[in-house]
Amino acid sequence: MKGIIDNTATEQTMPRHIAVVMDGNGRWANKRHLPRAAGHKAGVGSTRKIVEHCAKKNIEALTIFAFSSENWNRPKSEVSALMALFVSTITAEVKKLHKKNVCVKFIGDRTRFSEKLQNSINDAEILTTDNSGLHLNIAANYGGRWDVVNACKQIAEQVKNNKTSIQDIDETMFDSFVSLSELPAPDLFIRTGGEQRISNFLIWQLAYSELYFVDTLWPDFAEDDLDAALTWYAGRQRRFGKTGQQLMEEKVAEN
Ligand code: IPE
Ligand code: IPE
Ligand code: MG
């Protein structure tokens, strides 16, 4: 059942869905007097480790922010380096992910990408579509505002064609039109690199996520850093608007 209407998550000590803003690649490279692209390349190593670790820990879904709709504003040379890295990384990694039973999906507006990149994306999704392991969602040319507007457009189209009525629009219905609607909402949001902001990531889906910010730069982020985030998460009390007292009473009533 979807996260926004699924309060059973209160009792979970392990997140079902983790969302990550993988930030700090540029600063990691700067510190080493390397070009920013070297930081992005090093970041791929962390991504691989974290994906594998999540799969091993039986996390249901991992959604990673690879390229935001605002990242087109970066210098042309950095954008080109990132696009080239996406193609080479997807090509090199997808077979390994498939062997690990990972189901890969991309969210965001892919139409702005080169044909080559769009083909790699489509191939990766098709190859892994039936896999029953970790759901790995890669946000590429993704923006949370775009996602919400896109949902509005689809619903407006349905109203126009008399497939639905305005009265039928509620949060659950709206939710079915945004990205990742087939998954529970992220329980845990992690941002590396020290900034404490969402940067237009999953603005609708993160409404009730636990937010974890860490100074570690993404290329330095490893398995034990994820474990630290998981330990922190296990200590949260997710109240979903209720009081702590109510949750305690519910727990007593269950046992
Ligand atoms: C995140 O690292 C990766 C992308 C945005 C593609 P940055 O490149 O933003 O790294 P910093 O924030 O400049 O250190
Ligand atoms: C967010 O990081 C996007 C990704 C990690 C892909 P940015 O580094 O682009 O975020 P801002 O612009 O500093 O907020
Ligand atoms: Mg950044």
Side-chain angles (χ1 to χ4, degrees), residues 140-190:
N141 191 21
Y142 175 87
R145 289 175 179 165
W146 165 86
D147 203 356
V148 171
V149 169
N150 199 40
C152 289
K153 280 186 182 167
Q154 291 179 63
I155 296 168
E157 195 70 32
Q158 292 218 344
V159 172
K160 194 176 94 183
N161 297 330
N162 292 319
K163 284 192 180 147
T164 193
S165 68
I166 290 176
Q167 289 71 32
D168 290 335
I169 303 171
D170 61 11
E171 291 183 19
T172 308
M173 188 265 204
F174 192 92
D175 192 71
S176 69
F177 285 91
V178 297
S179 302
L180 311 177
S181 60
E182 66 285 6
L183 294 169
D187 304 294
L188 171 62
F189 164 96
I190 299 173

Side-chain angles (χ1 to χ4, degrees), residues 22-28 36 40 65-68 71 74 78 82 86 195 217:
M22 310 182 291
D23 197 21
N25 294 349
R27 279 163 285 163
W28 184 93
R36 291 179 59 86
H40 296 313
F65 209 1
F67 191 85
S68 76
N71 288 145
R74 293 194 175 192
E78 181 169 348
L82 278 165
F86 291 149
E195 309 299 348
L217 303 172

Side-chain angles (χ1 to χ4, degrees), residues 29-223:
N30 279 346
K31 275 199 334 201
R32 289 163 179 76
H33 309 287
L34 294 168
R36 291 179 59 86
H40 296 313
K41 216 170 165 181
V44 173
S46 292
T47 309
R48 189 185 301 116
K49 278 188 218 166
I50 296 311
V51 169
E52 284 177 14
H53 201 52
C54 283
K56 218 160 75 187
K57 290 205 158 253
N58 291 322
I59 301 284
E60 207 170 308
L62 172 67
T63 301
I64 53 176
F65 209 1
F67 191 85
S68 76
S69 41
E70 289 72 33
N71 288 145
W72 296 107
N73 295 326
R74 293 194 175 192
K76 252 187 164 162
S77 55
E78 181 169 348
V79 171
S80 308
L82 278 165
M83 294 300 142
L85 185 64
F86 291 149
V87 175
S88 61
T89 305
I90 297 168
T91 313
E93 302 291 331
V94 73
K95 283 195 197 89
K96 287 184 257 174
L97 291 168
H98 182 48
K99 271 193 196 140
K100 293 193 162 78
N101 199 24
V102 175
C103 175
V104 183
K105 284 209 172 84
F106 286 77
I107 58 168
D109 181 4
R110 60 185 74 176
T111 59
R112 194 166 165 184
F113 292 139
S114 69
E115 205 184 321
K116 195 171 172 189
L117 180 50
Q118 288 191 49
N119 287 340
S120 326
I121 287 173
N122 294 338
D123 291 349
E125 288 184 335
I126 291 166
L127 180 70
T128 64
T129 189
D130 291 327
N131 289 347
S132 58
L134 175 74
H135 289 272
L136 173 63
N137 309 299
I138 303 170
N141 191 21
Y142 175 87
R145 289 175 179 165
W146 165 86
D147 203 356
V148 171
V149 169
N150 199 40
C152 289
K153 280 186 182 167
Q154 291 179 63
I155 296 168
E157 195 70 32
Q158 292 218 344
V159 172
K160 194 176 94 183
N161 297 330
N162 292 319
K163 284 192 180 147
T164 193
S165 68
I166 290 176
Q167 289 71 32
D168 290 335
I169 303 171
D170 61 11
E171 291 183 19
T172 308
M173 188 265 204
F174 192 92
D175 192 71
S176 69
F177 285 91
V178 297
S179 302
L180 311 177
S181 60
E182 66 285 6
L183 294 169
D187 304 294
L188 171 62
F189 164 96
I190 299 173
R191 180 168 186 146
T192 63
E195 309 299 348
Q196 302 199 356
R197 54 181 176 245
I198 307 283
S199 297
N200 198 18
F201 197 22
L202 306 157
I203 55 173
W204 169 272
Q205 298 86 338
L206 291 173
Y208 249 115
S209 309
E210 299 296 326
L211 307 179
Y212 181 83
F213 299 97
V214 64
D215 288 338
T216 311
L217 303 172
W218 180 249
D220 293 327
F221 194 81
E223 293 89 340

